[in-house]
Amino acid sequence: MIAYLRCVYCVIAGLALTLGIARAQSEPVPLLQQINDAMQTLDYEGTLVRSMDGRLYTLHVAHLNNDGVSMEKLVSMDGEPREIVRVGNELVCLYPNRQLKFIDKTAGASNAFTRLPQVAENVGRFYELISLGTDRVAGREAKRFFIRPKDAFRNGHSLWVDAETLLPLRMQLLNGKRVV
């Protein structure tokens, strides 16, 4: 399960953070909750690109919501062939070359923001939300935000969300100004 969350949902682009004139928002909770809701309730399909240790990894992602039941299918596009399917709380990982199948019936709902601050009442104590205007990502108009930690013990998060759907289009985990 940890490998699933780590390999699937850590979307970190290899771009540097450029901060312009920013407008601070009162709380990150409403935005994070709206993004989480969009990720769980909307139907979407696309390619997820992850940068880690100087390498790019790609996954084909399909998500459906069928009467409140979230269903996902993720297919590795490079490296060892693997497929991850989640229906509700059941997770199935398939490794065809090794003829291996892993099933977890208690996986719980996934969340693309496992690296973002958890949506909780007190997240505003630790983070500040800054709006950085709009940008264009993957051919879509995106709202750009920076989730700035209020202390030196947490990482910052640069975030671009689709202006229409609030689905995330790009994320960066930052240690100071360095993309992790």
Side-chain angles (χ1 to χ4, degrees):
M1 178 64 185
I2 292 171
Y4 165 73
L5 292 174
R6 197 174 352 171
C7 81
V8 173
Y9 283 128
C10 179
V11 183
I12 302 176
L15 301 174
L17 172 66
T18 3
L19 289 174
I21 299 173
R23 183 172 55 90
Q25 304 295 305
S26 58
E27 287 285 326
V29 174
L31 175 69
L32 293 175
Q33 188 59 57
Q34 289 172 338
I35 292 169
N36 187 53
D37 291 347
M39 293 286 302
Q40 297 302 319
T41 60
L42 297 178
D43 295 345
Y44 51 90
E45 184 175 3
T47 302
L48 181 88
V49 179
R50 176 180 181 216
S51 172
M52 187 175 89
D53 298 329
R55 292 190 57 203
L56 291 178
Y57 302 90
T58 55
L59 291 164
H60 180 78
V61 179
H63 181 273
L64 296 171
N65 185 307
N66 186 8
D67 293 327
V69 177
S70 191
M71 298 179 279
E72 293 174 319
K73 182 176 182 179
L74 305 137
V75 179
S76 175
M77 304 301 289
D78 45 40
E80 180 182 7
R82 66 190 179 282
E83 191 172 303
I84 300 165
V85 178
R86 186 179 60 79
V87 177
N89 291 332
E90 183 172 291
L91 179 72
V92 178
C93 299
L94 304 168
Y95 295 87
N97 287 356
R98 293 192 263 165
Q99 297 180 354
L100 180 64
K101 181 178 183 179
F102 170 75
I103 300 173
D104 182 353
K105 293 183 182 262
T106 61
S110 67
N111 184 334
F113 296 96
T114 55
R115 300 261 178 166
L116 282 178
Q118 293 297 311
V119 178
E121 291 296 319
N122 63 355
V123 74
R125 283 185 25 208
F126 305 109
Y127 293 94
E128 172 183 27
L129 179 66
I130 300 169
S131 175
L132 299 174
T134 60
D135 205 348
R136 185 172 155 86
V137 176
R140 305 276 300 174
E141 182 180 347
K143 295 179 181 180
R144 187 169 176 206
F145 298 96
F146 181 57
I147 302 171
R148 179 171 47 201
K150 292 182 176 179
D151 59 36
F153 304 107
R154 290 166 177 74
N155 289 314
H157 306 269
S158 198
L159 178 63
W160 291 257
V161 296
D162 186 278
E164 183 181 332
T165 65
L166 290 182
L167 288 171
L169 298 173
R170 180 182 294 162
M171 289 174 30
Q172 295 176 327
L173 178 65
L174 303 158
N175 184 350
K177 290 186 178 182
R178 185 177 65 85
V179 176
V180 180

